[in-house]
């Protein structure tokens, strides 16, 4: 095997222009779009250049295998492997690091491990796989971590296949046009059996590494952290229906305008969330139908994201918001319907694996803290089936899902060093 010498920063630089969004800023890389497909091809090419055996499974997850020397490269020899990776899709107008940092770091960490094996300092006891999960953000079909949910059976394949994007394309049709067989999609016990432990490196998506608790005298936080938990969260669609009509001929007193109802609810969402400590509730997407400037909408759909450490509180908040929506709709002469699109409970990562990550990371970063997060990840979905853990890399802006998301070069390199040490110890 030819040992590669690429750094994580040079890998990220190679994809810097793919999927740029000139309207929103940042990047828009929805799953199976030309941009995300190009990134998938980039990852496959990088993996193959490293002599890794690459395959795409029934759910569209890419696997790049570093098998044990002399192994038959079959399911039996790969059972219980160590797996690391992330995703390449993005939110609309997202940052450069959410997803790709984890994928590029997996490739760069492999390079470190391959060099160590070549020099004789690494003795492996199991295979390693680098992975790319599709539709982690849910920006095209509305369900976050769709690939890992299908893999683990956390979503009914029939429900997933019937999901539609903004253009009306079903996930089944899009999957089929990208070489997948919809009839085979769903829980994959053979693939799950190949995962002994899963480690995901990700950009930190808040101010967790920049708080006073974790910063030094110069105001700088540690480069990396170890994930402890993921906040429970879900997505719901609220559809307000009213009377579509002409904007010029319909008197204000004669209107049943669902946009007015939706606007009032957006404010109520904030009010309800503020009644509970540690709660987060967001309306980040709203779509009027038919969407004309001089048309009173007949329906307005808005999407609600609610998160809290206590799943019972999350459910209570959604019910309170739904109750407010019903009152507002009735007052405006409209109706409203609530639909749950996805729901994930609070995840606490495997304590034994977390302690192992701490031990490995602290050799280089002794102040790296345990860090909870309010952001969802494929590692959180996989945690219900296999021991999973996370490494976060400092984001000095504290901003994510935005073009302002940022990782400094030396922090990205520190993340790769931490990931390589963790993988070596677990291998």
């Amino acid at each position: 095997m030819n040992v590669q010498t690429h750094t994580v920063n040079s890998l990220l630089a190679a994809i810097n222009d793919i999927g740029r969004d000139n309207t929103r800023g940042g990047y828009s890389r929805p799953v199976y779009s030309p941009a995300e497909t190009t990134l998938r091809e980039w990852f496959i090419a990088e993996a193959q250049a490293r002599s890794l055996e690459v395959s795409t499974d029934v759910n569209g997850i890419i696997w790049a295998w570093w098998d044990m020397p002399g192994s038959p490269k079959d399911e039996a020899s790969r059972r219980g492997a160590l797996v690391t990776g992330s995703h390449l899709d993005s939110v609309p107008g997202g940052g450069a690091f959410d997803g790709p940092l984890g994928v590029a770091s997996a490739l760069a960490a492999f390079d470190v491990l391959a060099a160590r094996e070549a020099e004789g300092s690494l003795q492996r006891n199991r295979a390693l796989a680098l992975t790319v999960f599709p539709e982690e953000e849910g920006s095209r079909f509305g369900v976050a971590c769709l690939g890992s949910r299908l893999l683990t059976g956390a979503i009914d394949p029939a429900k997933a296949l019937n999901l539609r994007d903004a253009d009306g394309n079903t996930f089944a049709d899009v999957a089929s046009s990208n070489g997948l067989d919809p009839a085979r999609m769903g829980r994959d016990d053979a693939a799950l059996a190949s995962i002994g432990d899963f480690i995901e490196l990700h950009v930190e998506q808040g101010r967790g590494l920049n708080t006073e608790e974790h910063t030094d005298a110069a105001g700088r936080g540690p480069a990396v952290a170890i994930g402890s938990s993921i906040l429970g969260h879900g997505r719901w669609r609220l559809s307000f229906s009213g009377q579509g009509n002409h904007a010029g001929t319909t008197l204000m007193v004669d209107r049943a305008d669902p946009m007015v109802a939706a606007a009032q609810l957006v404010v109520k969402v904030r009010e309800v969330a503020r009644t509970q400590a540690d709660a987060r509730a967001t309306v980040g997407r709203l779509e009027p139908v038919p969407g004309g400037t001089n048309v009173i909408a007949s329906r307005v759909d808005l999407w609600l994201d609610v998160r809290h450490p206590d799943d019972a509180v999350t459910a209570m908040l959604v019910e309170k918001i739904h109750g407010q929506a019903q009152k507002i709709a009735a007052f405006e002469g409209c109706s409203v319907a609530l639909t749950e699109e996805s729901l994930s409970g609070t995840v606490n990562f495997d304590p034994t694996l977390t302690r192992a990550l701490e031990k490995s990371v602290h050799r280089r970063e002794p102040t790296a803290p345990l860090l909870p997060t309010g952001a969802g990840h494929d590692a959180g979905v996989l945690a219900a089936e296999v021991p999973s853990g996370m490494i976060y890399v400092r984001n000095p802006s504290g901003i994510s899902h935005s073009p302002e998301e940022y990782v400094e070069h030396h922090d990205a390199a520190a993340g790769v060093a931490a990931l390589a040490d963790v993988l070596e110890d677990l291998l």
Side-chain angles (χ1 to χ4, degrees):
M1 176 188 299
N2 293 323
V3 177
Q4 305 291 302
T5 57
H6 296 301
T7 67
V8 63
N9 295 303
S10 67
L11 287 164
L12 289 170
I15 60 174
N16 191 51
D17 291 328
I18 299 171
R20 283 191 178 273
D21 191 321
N22 294 325
T23 301
R24 301 181 180 95
Y27 298 86
S28 291
R29 298 160 167 169
V31 70
Y32 297 130
S33 65
E36 198 257 3
T37 299
T38 298
L39 291 180
R40 289 167 68 89
E41 292 168 352
W42 162 81
F43 171 77
I44 290 170
E46 289 288 345
Q48 290 175 337
R50 291 161 170 77
S51 301
L52 303 179
E53 185 171 301
V54 181
S55 62
T56 301
D57 70 16
V58 296
N59 294 308
I61 302 165
I62 304 173
W63 301 77
W65 285 98
W66 192 27
D67 292 293
M68 291 291 290
S71 74
K73 300 181 181 181
D74 57 13
E75 289 182 1
S77 64
R78 291 170 174 171
R79 185 179 293 271
L82 179 59
V83 181
T84 187
S86 193
H87 62 98
L88 292 168
D89 64 306
S90 78
V91 298
F97 300 92
D98 182 358
L101 177 67
V103 175
S105 295
L107 289 165
F110 166 80
D111 293 343
V112 173
L113 296 175
R116 291 175 183 175
E117 185 176 63
E119 68 187 16
S121 62
L122 170 63
Q123 300 294 324
R124 292 189 289 138
N125 294 314
R126 56 175 168 165
L128 173 71
L130 315 184
T131 56
V132 173
F133 288 89
E135 185 68 331
E136 193 270 355
E137 297 291 3
S139 62
R140 182 167 185 180
F141 291 100
V143 176
C145 301
L146 187 57
S148 54
R149 287 179 190 273
L150 283 165
L151 169 66
T152 59
I155 187 171
D156 182 351
K159 176 182 177 180
L161 293 168
N162 284 314
L163 294 171
R164 292 182 181 273
D165 65 13
D167 296 322
N169 303 302
T170 66
F171 180 61
D173 289 341
V174 172
S176 180
S177 65
N178 283 273
L180 302 176
D181 181 358
R184 299 179 62 202
M185 300 182 86
R187 183 179 172 89
D188 189 340
D189 287 315
L192 282 171
S194 70
I195 308 174
D197 299 286
F198 179 73
I199 309 297
E200 182 172 4
L201 180 144
H202 206 278
V203 58
E204 208 270 306
Q205 294 182 274
R207 296 189 297 111
L209 283 171
N210 294 312
T211 61
E212 184 176 346
E213 177 186 1
H214 298 307
T215 51
D216 58 22
R220 178 179 177 80
V224 298
I226 301 100
S228 60
S229 62
I230 294 178
L231 210 61
H233 60 281
R235 297 180 184 184
W236 292 263
R237 184 177 74 249
L238 286 149
S239 296
F240 287 92
S241 296
Q243 178 59 61
N245 215 328
H246 194 291
T249 62
T250 310
L251 299 177
M252 301 305 289
V253 297
D254 293 335
R255 300 186 179 201
D257 189 342
M259 182 65 81
V260 174
Q264 292 179 59
L265 184 68
V266 171
V267 178
K268 285 293 183 183
V269 165
R270 182 179 66 175
E271 292 178 4
V272 171
R274 284 180 169 177
T275 65
Q276 289 290 329
D278 295 325
R280 298 99 192 259
T282 306
V283 176
R285 178 181 167 202
L286 185 149
E287 293 182 0
V289 178
T293 303
N294 59 348
V295 179
I296 300 169
S298 59
R299 190 182 82 246
V300 174
D301 295 330
L302 63 82
W303 281 262
L304 174 69
D305 182 303
V306 180
R307 308 181 188 221
H308 191 274
D310 186 333
D311 299 336
V313 174
T314 300
M316 178 271 290
L317 290 169
V318 173
E319 187 53 41
K320 277 191 175 182
I321 292 168
H322 185 208
Q324 291 291 332
Q326 290 173 316
K327 291 179 182 178
I328 293 168
F331 183 80
E332 296 296 337
C334 299
S335 61
V336 64
L338 175 72
T339 304
E340 179 186 300
E341 294 199 336
S342 66
L343 180 62
S344 300
T346 292
V347 172
N348 293 297
F349 288 118
D350 181 87
T352 301
L353 182 58
T354 299
R355 285 193 294 271
L357 265 65
E358 286 186 279
K359 182 178 179 181
S360 298
V361 171
H362 284 168
R363 288 204 301 271
R364 293 178 189 265
E365 293 280 353
T367 63
L370 275 174
L371 199 65
T373 184
H377 299 286
D378 289 306
V381 176
L382 292 173
E385 299 286 337
V386 298
S388 300
M390 293 196 70
I391 297 171
Y392 298 117
V393 178
R394 193 176 74 96
N395 174 0
S397 71
I399 296 171
S400 189
H401 283 185
S402 163
E404 296 170 73
E405 175 184 274
Y406 186 60
V407 172
E408 295 174 340
H409 282 193
H410 47 79
D411 285 347
V416 170
L419 179 61
D421 288 348
V422 165
L423 297 177
E424 178 176 3
D425 291 346
L426 293 172
L427 283 170

